[in-house]
């Protein structure tokens, strides 16, 4: 179902994904979103499956995990309102890189690759801002990952 409300608009504008968009551009993107609801324990996306959409967390808590070669599941991070995930499939057109499970009842807003392309065709300026926002978030995540790798390496060398 498509969504629209002043409260949702204010919420989305405050997220990293929609930051910097004009009112008209934000309205266009909001008109493309579909609300998705998940119960606690539901798998939203599964590692390895095809993915052609991303999600913005409006309510609820989720956990991102990866399956290790050993068969063990490793919790990578948690997600909360304002976070987004799944954007990597829109950029690289690869299968999902992780599994995301709702830890509590969750409300997400989904944007598909097709809708993002429609945004590109209708409002190139909005598309560029959205892509810059995605790239900024990916850079933040890469910096956090680099920090974690350095900390793990430091622990390993001090043993």
């Amino acid at each position: 179902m498509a969504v629209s409300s002043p409260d949702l608009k204010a919420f989305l504008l405050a997220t990293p994904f929609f930051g910097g968009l004009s009112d008209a551009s934000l309205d266009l993107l909001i008109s493309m979103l579909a609300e998705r609801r998940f119960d606690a324990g539901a798998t939203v996306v599964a590692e390895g499956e095809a993915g052609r959409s991303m999600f913005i967390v409006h309510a609820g808590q989720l956990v991102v995990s990866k399956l290790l070669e050993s068969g063990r599941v490793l919790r990578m991070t948690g997600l909360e309102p304002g976070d987004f995930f799944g954007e990597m499939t829109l950029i690289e057109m690869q299968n999902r890189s992780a599994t995301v499970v709702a830890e509590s009842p969750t409300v997400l807003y989904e944007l598909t690759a097709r809708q993002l392309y429609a945004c590109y065709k209708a409002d190139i300026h909005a598309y560029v801002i959205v892509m810059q926002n995605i790239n900024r978030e990916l850079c933040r995540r890469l910096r956090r990952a680099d920090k974690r790798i350095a900390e793990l390496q430091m622990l390993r060398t001090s043993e």
Side-chain angles (χ1 to χ4, degrees):
M1 96 179 88
V3 294
S4 181
S5 80
D7 290 340
L8 177 61
K9 190 172 183 177
F11 169 80
L12 292 174
L13 197 53
T15 69
F17 184 81
F18 291 98
L21 289 170
S22 71
D23 204 47
S25 295
L26 184 59
D27 287 340
L28 172 67
L29 280 163
I30 288 173
S31 74
M32 296 176 174
L33 297 176
E35 184 178 281
R36 304 283 185 235
R37 292 179 177 267
F38 295 88
D39 293 328
T43 299
V44 178
V45 300
E47 183 176 355
E49 74 182 8
R52 299 295 175 255
S53 65
M54 60 158 298
F55 300 88
I56 300 98
V57 182
H58 187 244
Q61 305 291 317
L62 302 105
V63 64
V64 179
S65 63
K66 289 194 66 68
L67 183 61
L68 303 177
E69 287 180 14
S70 66
R72 189 170 153 238
V73 174
L74 178 66
R75 179 188 170 109
M76 299 296 291
T77 192
L79 298 170
E80 57 189 33
D83 291 334
F84 60 89
F85 64 95
E87 73 288 339
M88 287 173 33
T89 65
L90 299 184
I91 294 171
E92 63 179 352
M93 302 305 238
Q94 297 289 318
N95 290 343
R96 299 283 184 192
S97 64
T99 296
V100 179
V101 174
E103 289 191 309
S104 65
T106 300
V107 179
L108 306 174
Y109 291 101
E110 183 177 27
L111 181 68
T112 67
R114 185 175 302 224
Q115 290 160 329
L116 189 58
Y117 181 71
C119 173
Y120 166 78
K121 299 293 273 179
D123 186 347
I124 187 73
H125 184 70
Y127 176 81
V128 168
I129 289 173
V130 164
M131 294 308 290
Q132 286 177 321
N133 290 343
I134 289 172
N135 287 327
R136 280 188 196 99
E137 181 62 22
L138 290 173
C139 288
R140 282 190 286 270
R141 292 177 189 175
L142 182 57
R143 286 181 187 276
R144 283 193 305 266
D146 285 348
K147 183 179 176 189
R148 286 179 186 162
I149 291 167
E151 289 168 352
L152 289 171
Q153 188 62 32
M154 185 67 96
L155 285 171
R156 191 174 178 196
T157 57
S158 67
E159 291 178 350

